[in-house]
Coordinates of all heavy atoms in Angstrom, one line a residue:
S423 N 41.5 18.4 -16.4 CA 40.2 17.9 -16.2 C 40.2 16.4 -16.7 O 40.6 16.1 -17.8 CB 39.2 18.7 -17.0 OG 37.9 18.1 -16.9
S424 N 39.7 15.5 -15.8 CA 39.6 14.1 -16.2 C 38.2 13.9 -16.7 O 37.9 12.8 -17.2 CB 39.8 13.3 -14.9 OG 38.9 13.6 -13.9
N425 N 37.3 14.9 -16.7 CA 36.0 14.7 -17.3 C 36.0 15.0 -18.8 O 36.3 16.1 -19.2 CB 35.0 15.7 -16.6 CG 33.6 15.6 -17.1 OD1 33.3 14.5 -17.6 ND2 32.8 16.6 -16.9
P426 N 35.8 14.0 -19.6 CA 36.0 14.2 -21.1 C 34.9 15.0 -21.7 O 35.1 15.6 -22.7 CB 35.9 12.7 -21.6 CG 35.1 12.0 -20.6 CD 35.4 12.6 -19.3
E427 N 33.7 15.1 -21.1 CA 32.6 15.9 -21.6 C 31.9 16.8 -20.6 O 30.8 16.5 -20.2 CB 31.6 15.0 -22.3 CG 32.1 14.3 -23.6 CD 32.3 15.3 -24.7 OE1 31.7 16.4 -24.7 OE2 33.1 15.0 -25.6
P428 N 32.6 17.8 -20.1 CA 31.9 18.6 -19.1 C 30.8 19.5 -19.8 O 31.1 20.3 -20.6 CB 33.0 19.5 -18.6 CG 34.0 19.6 -19.7 CD 33.9 18.3 -20.4
D429 N 29.6 19.2 -19.5 CA 28.5 19.9 -20.1 C 28.5 21.4 -19.8 O 28.2 22.2 -20.7 CB 27.2 19.3 -19.7 CG 27.0 17.9 -20.2 OD1 27.4 17.7 -21.4 OD2 26.5 17.0 -19.5
L430 N 28.9 21.8 -18.6 CA 28.8 23.1 -18.2 C 30.1 23.5 -17.4 O 30.6 22.6 -16.7 CB 27.6 23.4 -17.3 CG 26.3 22.8 -17.7 CD1 25.3 22.9 -16.6 CD2 25.8 23.7 -18.9
M431 N 30.6 24.7 -17.5 CA 31.8 25.0 -16.8 C 31.8 26.5 -16.6 O 31.4 27.3 -17.4 CB 33.0 24.7 -17.7 CG 34.3 25.0 -17.0 SD 34.8 23.8 -15.7 CE 35.0 22.3 -16.7
W432 N 32.3 26.9 -15.4 CA 32.6 28.3 -15.1 C 33.9 28.3 -14.5 O 34.1 27.7 -13.4 CB 31.5 29.0 -14.2 CG 31.9 30.4 -14.0 CD1 32.7 30.9 -13.0 CD2 31.6 31.5 -14.9 NE1 32.9 32.3 -13.1 CE2 32.2 32.7 -14.3 CE3 31.0 31.7 -16.1 CZ2 32.2 33.9 -14.9 CZ3 30.9 32.9 -16.6 CH2 31.5 34.0 -16.0
T433 N 34.9 29.0 -15.0 CA 36.2 29.1 -14.5 C 36.2 30.2 -13.5 O 36.0 31.4 -13.8 CB 37.3 29.3 -15.5 OG1 36.9 30.4 -16.4 CG2 37.4 28.0 -16.4
A434 N 36.4 29.9 -12.2 CA 36.5 30.9 -11.2 C 37.7 31.8 -11.3 O 37.6 33.0 -11.0 CB 36.4 30.3 -9.8
S435 N 38.8 31.3 -11.7 CA 40.0 32.0 -11.9 C 40.9 31.2 -12.8 O 40.5 30.2 -13.3 CB 40.7 32.3 -10.5 OG 41.2 31.1 -10.0
C436 N 42.2 31.7 -13.0 CA 43.1 30.9 -13.8 C 43.7 29.8 -13.0 O 44.5 29.0 -13.5 CB 44.1 31.8 -14.4 SG 43.4 32.9 -15.7
T437 N 43.4 29.7 -11.7 CA 44.0 28.6 -10.9 C 43.0 27.6 -10.4 O 43.3 26.6 -9.8 CB 44.8 29.2 -9.7 OG1 43.8 30.0 -8.9 CG2 45.9 30.1 -10.1
G438 N 41.7 27.9 -10.6 CA 40.7 27.0 -10.1 C 39.4 27.2 -10.9 O 39.1 28.2 -11.5
A439 N 38.6 26.1 -10.9 CA 37.4 26.1 -11.7 C 36.4 25.1 -11.2 O 36.8 24.1 -10.5 CB 37.7 25.8 -13.2
W440 N 35.1 25.4 -11.5 CA 34.1 24.4 -11.2 C 33.4 23.9 -12.5 O 33.3 24.7 -13.4 CB 32.9 25.1 -10.4 CG 33.3 25.6 -9.0 CD1 33.7 24.9 -7.9 CD2 33.4 27.0 -8.6 NE1 34.0 25.7 -6.9 CE2 33.8 27.0 -7.2 CE3 33.1 28.2 -9.2 CZ2 34.0 28.1 -6.5 CZ3 33.3 29.4 -8.5 CH2 33.7 29.3 -7.1
S441 N 33.0 22.7 -12.5 CA 32.2 22.2 -13.6 C 31.0 21.5 -13.0 O 31.1 21.0 -11.9 CB 33.0 21.2 -14.5 OG 33.4 20.1 -13.7
V442 N 30.0 21.4 -13.8 CA 28.7 20.8 -13.3 C 28.0 20.2 -14.5 O 28.1 20.7 -15.6 CB 27.8 21.9 -12.6 CG1 27.4 22.9 -13.6 CG2 26.6 21.3 -11.9
D443 N 27.4 19.0 -14.2 CA 26.6 18.4 -15.3 C 25.1 18.8 -15.2 O 24.7 19.6 -14.3 CB 26.8 16.9 -15.3 CG 26.3 16.2 -14.0 OD1 25.5 16.9 -13.2 OD2 26.8 15.1 -13.7
D444 N 24.3 18.3 -16.1 CA 22.9 18.7 -16.1 C 22.1 18.3 -14.9 O 21.0 18.8 -14.6 CB 22.2 18.3 -17.4 CG 22.3 16.8 -17.6 OD1 22.7 16.1 -16.7 OD2 21.9 16.4 -18.8
A445 N 22.6 17.3 -14.1 CA 22.0 16.9 -12.9 C 22.4 17.7 -11.7 O 21.9 17.4 -10.6 CB 22.2 15.4 -12.6
G446 N 23.3 18.7 -11.9 CA 23.7 19.5 -10.8 C 24.9 18.9 -10.0 O 25.1 19.3 -8.9
R447 N 25.6 17.9 -10.5 CA 26.7 17.3 -9.8 C 27.9 18.2 -10.1 O 28.3 18.4 -11.2 CB 27.0 15.9 -10.4 CG 28.1 15.1 -9.7 CD 28.3 13.8 -10.3 NE 27.2 12.9 -10.1 CZ 26.4 12.6 -11.2 NH1 26.6 13.0 -12.4 NH2 25.3 11.8 -11.0
L448 N 28.6 18.6 -9.0 CA 29.7 19.6 -9.1 C 31.1 18.8 -9.1 O 31.2 17.8 -8.4 CB 29.7 20.5 -7.9 CG 30.7 21.6 -7.9 CD1 30.3 22.8 -8.8 CD2 31.0 22.1 -6.5
R449 N 32.0 19.4 -9.9 CA 33.4 18.9 -9.8 C 34.3 20.2 -9.6 O 34.0 21.2 -10.2 CB 33.8 18.2 -11.1 CG 33.1 16.9 -11.4 CD 33.6 16.3 -12.7 NE 32.9 15.0 -12.9 CZ 31.8 14.9 -13.6 NH1 31.2 16.0 -14.1 NH2 31.3 13.7 -13.8
T450 N 35.3 20.0 -8.8 CA 36.2 21.1 -8.6 C 37.6 20.8 -9.3 O 38.0 19.7 -9.4 CB 36.5 21.3 -7.1 OG1 37.1 20.2 -6.5 CG2 35.2 21.7 -6.4
H451 N 38.2 21.9 -9.7 CA 39.5 21.8 -10.3 C 40.5 22.8 -9.7 O 40.1 24.0 -9.5 CB 39.4 22.0 -11.8 CG 38.3 21.2 -12.5 ND1 38.5 20.0 -13.0 CD2 37.0 21.5 -12.6 CE1 37.4 19.5 -13.5 NE2 36.4 20.4 -13.3
G452 N 41.7 22.4 -9.5 CA 42.7 23.4 -9.0 C 42.4 23.8 -7.6 O 42.0 23.1 -6.7
T453 N 42.4 25.1 -7.4 CA 42.2 25.7 -6.1 C 40.7 26.0 -5.8 O 40.4 26.5 -4.7 CB 42.9 27.1 -6.0 OG1 42.4 28.0 -7.0 CG2 44.4 26.9 -6.2
A454 N 39.8 25.7 -6.7 CA 38.4 25.9 -6.4 C 37.9 25.0 -5.3 O 38.2 23.8 -5.2 CB 37.6 25.7 -7.7
R455 N 37.1 25.6 -4.4 CA 36.4 24.9 -3.3 C 35.0 24.5 -3.6 O 34.3 25.2 -4.3 CB 36.4 25.7 -2.0 CG 37.8 26.0 -1.4 CD 37.6 27.0 -0.2 NE 36.6 26.5 0.7 CZ 36.1 27.2 1.7 NH1 36.3 28.5 1.7 NH2 35.2 26.7 2.5
S456 N 34.6 23.4 -3.0 CA 33.2 23.0 -3.2 C 32.3 23.6 -2.0 O 32.7 23.5 -0.9 CB 33.0 21.5 -3.1 OG 31.7 21.1 -3.1

Side-chain angles (χ1 to χ4, degrees):
S423 175
S424 58
N425 181 22
E427 290 292 337
D429 293 318
L430 313 166
M431 181 75 67
W432 180 268
T433 52
S435 70
C436 289
T437 61
W440 296 293
S441 63
V442 64
D443 60 20
D444 57 7
R447 182 182 299 108
L448 184 80
R449 295 181 180 87
T450 61
H451 309 271
T453 59
R455 293 176 53 198
S456 173

